[in-house]
Amino acid sequence: MGCEGPIRPNIDVVKMPDFSVVAVGAALGAVTRFAVGSAIGSEPIATTVINLLGCVLFGTLSVALASRPRLLAFTGTGFCGGFTTFSAFVILSLFDASPTAAAATVAAHVIGCPAAYLAGAALGRTLRPDPERIQPGQAEASPR
């Protein structure tokens, strides 16, 4: 038996498992939600702003990072999932003192969040490199 040289680690084993990537992103998203909500202060305004921002961000990321699934798992599923809050939206909608304010909160989420996602997706398309502009032999630039 000859010496085969140094043992090289299997990079796939060294990488953080997908669930850990999502968990770290979710923790950062939740802390960010707490900070933004505290800065805004007023409910249901804070929850509505957070959910709208989260939808714009998720729309942008889901298009811009479509070719980078682990980064999208961290930022999209993880961070945006931890940042946005459907449960607070439901509580604010059901238990708000004013039926008019509750209706406005529901409308802002049901109409505003899909619109925010679509706006973010359009932004994401502008951030993603155009494959037709990449010359043969030229590496596609990856966002850092």
Side-chain angles (χ1 to χ4, degrees):
M1 266 202 219
C3 180
E4 296 179 21
I7 298 173
R8 295 192 177 135
N10 180 345
I11 298 301
D12 291 334
V13 173
V14 176
K15 288 182 182 177
M16 186 182 295
D18 288 340
F19 66 86
S20 296
V21 170
V22 172
V24 170
L28 293 172
V31 169
T32 303
R33 177 179 69 224
F34 179 78
V36 171
S38 296
I40 295 171
S42 174
E43 286 295 354
I45 303 296
T47 296
T48 303
V49 167
I50 287 167
N51 286 343
L52 290 170
L53 286 173
C55 287
V56 169
L57 183 60
F58 189 68
T60 302
L61 295 170
S62 66
V63 173
L65 300 177
S67 64
R68 302 184 69 190
R70 286 180 57 80
L71 186 56
L72 184 56
F74 173 77
T75 59
T77 305
F79 183 84
C80 290
F83 181 65
T84 59
T85 173
F86 186 75
S87 57
F89 155 65
V90 170
I91 290 168
L92 291 168
S93 301
L94 292 175
F95 301 108
D96 200 308
S98 162
T100 303
T105 299
V106 169
H109 281 82
V110 172
I111 295 168
C113 286
Y117 176 87
L118 292 173
L123 176 62
R125 280 187 215 82
T126 67
L127 299 174
R128 188 174 58 187
D130 183 1
E132 293 180 11
R133 287 189 286 169
I134 297 173
Q135 300 299 318
Q138 179 184 8
E140 185 174 347
S142 61
R144 301 236 180 233

